[in-house]
Amino acid sequence: MTAKQDRIFSKPLSKVGDFRFDDKVASVFPDMISRSIPGYGEILTTLSQLAGRCVQANSQVYDLGCSLGAATIAIRRGIQQPDVKIIAIDNSEAMVKRAQDHLQAFVSDIPVELICADIRDVTIENASLVVLNFTLQFLAPDDRDALITKIYQGLKPGGILVVSEKLVFEQPKIHELLYDIHLDFKRANGYSELEISQKRTALENVMKPDSREQHQARFAHAGFAESELWFQCYNFASMVAIK
Ligand SMILES: Nc1ncnc2c1ncn2[C@@H]1O[C@H](C[S@+](CC[C@H]([NH3+])C(=O)[O-])CC(=O)[O-])[C@@H](O)[C@H]1O
Ligand SMILES: O=C(O)C(=O)Cc1ccccc1
């Protein structure tokens, strides 16, 4: 079965409202994310490898902002250790409803608890792997430090946090170049100029990316001893921090 195509911003809108993870977006999400985020598939493959290496026996894994559960499915495939539970959380009811079906389509003995909640309100405990795969950028900037600190405190020694994000760059010409190359990536994936510009407007108030430097300073401030960028394609990146 081919994924339903994302045409959400293809018609001229009299007023472009804020981007929301509603039923319309959830119904086209796999197509939207694979045509919009360079390296998304590679990041999922590596999450599986990281899970194989870093998840500890008798511990919990958290997928924060799980959408349809793609990262959870990749991690579940990679886990080698016994007595592990995955907790997948999203505050979009439309996403969580569909995630249930996605998760059931894959057979596994590893339990997954799927929760519809705000990740700012959940307790993180006994964790060996926490994943924020393109979620932190949607949280109000003032709430980001507290979330990363809460994650640090809920991780076991040696536990890891993976944060994938769109980045901004402190050097203006580099920023413009890498943003423009990303727009070329979207054009090459069939998005029109209208779709690109209306979605950009819709995201303006909702998605506020940080720089790599801001992320790494936040990890250090929360207590993480080490952090590094392990993937980057244009202005999309994934980082790992180790407790
Ligand atoms: N405060 C919040 N609490 C809970 N969920 C939230 C919150 N804010 C946003 N979300 C959720 O975070 C997800 C971000 S998408 C993640 C992709 C996925 N990780 C993937 O690997 O496919 C990224 C993107 O669309 O660019 C959405 O499902 C929101 O509902
Ligand atoms: O589409 C974009 O320009 C993005 O920055 C990535 C994205 C992907 C899916 C939902 C929201 C943003």
Side-chain angles (χ1 to χ4, degrees):
M1 198 180 84
T2 49
K4 191 175 153 202
Q5 227 200 342
D6 167 24
R7 308 290 301 162
I8 289 176
F9 294 102
S10 62
K11 298 265 166 356
L13 299 164
S14 51
K15 184 187 175 296
V16 180
D18 281 349
F19 187 90
R20 288 175 55 232
F21 291 98
D22 57 11
D23 204 56
K24 225 159 78 178
V25 167
S27 74
V28 298
F29 194 67
D31 179 68
M32 172 184 279
I33 204 149
S34 65
R35 287 164 68 211
S36 304
I37 299 189
Y40 176 73
E42 284 78 3
I43 291 171
L44 292 184
T45 303
T46 306
L47 278 177
S48 186
Q49 276 178 272
L50 286 167
R53 286 179 178 273
C54 301
V55 171
Q56 301 173 26
N58 299 299
S59 74
Q60 309 207 103
V61 172
Y62 290 85
D63 178 6
L64 304 179
C66 62
S67 298
L68 301 181
T72 287
I73 290 163
I75 290 163
R76 194 169 59 171
R77 199 177 293 135
I79 291 174
Q80 315 279 337
Q81 302 77 357
D83 301 316
V84 175
K85 179 181 170 188
I86 305 176
I87 299 158
I89 302 162
D90 204 290
N91 66 351
S92 156
E93 264 183 48
M95 288 291 189
V96 171
K97 239 190 268 160
R98 285 185 160 80
Q100 196 70 62
D101 298 338
H102 272 242
L103 289 166
Q104 277 165 3
F106 298 83
V107 182
S108 170
D109 292 337
I110 298 168
V112 177
E113 186 181 350
L114 188 58
I115 304 172
C116 189
D118 192 307
I119 55 175
R120 289 169 290 198
D121 300 333
V122 300
T123 304
I124 310 280
E125 56 193 358
N126 192 32
S128 59
L129 169 64
V130 178
V131 173
L132 282 160
N133 207 35
F134 301 102
T135 302
L136 192 63
Q137 60 201 8
F138 291 102
L139 217 64
D142 284 351
D143 294 342
R144 294 177 190 175
D145 285 359
L147 178 70
I148 299 300
T149 298
K150 175 173 79 174
I151 291 169
Y152 178 81
Q153 287 166 354
L155 276 168
K156 292 161 74 80
I160 70 164
L161 166 65
V162 179
V163 178
S164 309
E165 291 271 291
K166 190 175 194 171
L167 294 180
V168 294
F169 299 93
E170 293 178 354
Q171 304 176 87
K173 287 179 195 153
I174 296 289
H175 180 85
E176 201 184 321
L177 180 63
L178 297 182
Y179 264 64
D180 286 349
I181 292 181
H182 173 239
L183 297 188
D184 288 342
F185 170 88
K186 292 182 73 159
R187 290 179 187 110
N189 284 330
Y191 283 118
S192 67
E193 297 307 317
L194 181 69
E195 285 176 293
I196 290 172
S197 84
Q198 292 194 136
K199 188 177 181 197
R200 187 201 289 207
T201 304
L203 285 171
E204 238 154 46
N205 297 323
V206 176
M207 186 177 111
K208 300 199 183 291
D210 289 325
S211 66
R212 172 199 178 151
E213 291 81 358
Q214 284 172 300
H215 285 293
Q216 288 196 279
R218 183 179 293 122
F219 298 147
H221 184 252
F224 285 98
E226 297 186 22
S227 76
E228 188 50 273
L229 189 86
W230 67 266
F231 174 88
Q232 185 176 345
C233 185
Y234 322 137
N235 47 346
F236 287 81
S238 189
M239 293 155 281
V240 62
I242 307 183
K243 180 164 178 175

